[in-house]
């Protein structure tokens, strides 16, 4: 998969994608480890239409 990314998007973009993926994985791990509750953020993002 890494070779396909390098060929299709280039080396620097592939490195950027790998770094962003690693950061997201670490943040997800820490959120799971410390049991951070994202329900309030989820409510803000998924507001229902109020008419």
């Amino acid at each position: 998969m890494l070779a396909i990314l390098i060929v299709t998007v280039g080396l620097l973009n592939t490195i950027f994608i790998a770094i962003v993926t690693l950061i997201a994985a670490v943040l997800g791990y820490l959120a799971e480890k410390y049991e951070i509750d994202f329900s309030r953020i989820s409510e803000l993002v998924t507001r229902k239409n109020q008419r």
Side-chain angles (χ1 to χ4, degrees):
M1 183 177 279
L2 190 62
I4 293 171
L5 275 174
I6 290 172
V7 169
T8 57
V9 298
L11 180 62
L12 292 178
N13 288 337
T14 300
I15 292 171
F16 175 73
I17 291 169
I19 290 171
V20 169
T21 303
L22 288 174
I23 290 171
V26 169
L27 289 176
Y29 168 76
L30 291 175
E32 185 73 26
K33 180 178 178 183
Y34 293 110
E35 298 178 5
I36 297 174
D37 184 24
F38 292 106
S39 63
R40 179 69 180 137
I41 296 172
S42 176
E43 289 174 8
L44 291 174
V45 173
T46 58
R47 283 188 278 170
K48 296 180 181 170
N49 291 333
Q50 298 175 358
R51 289 188 181 196

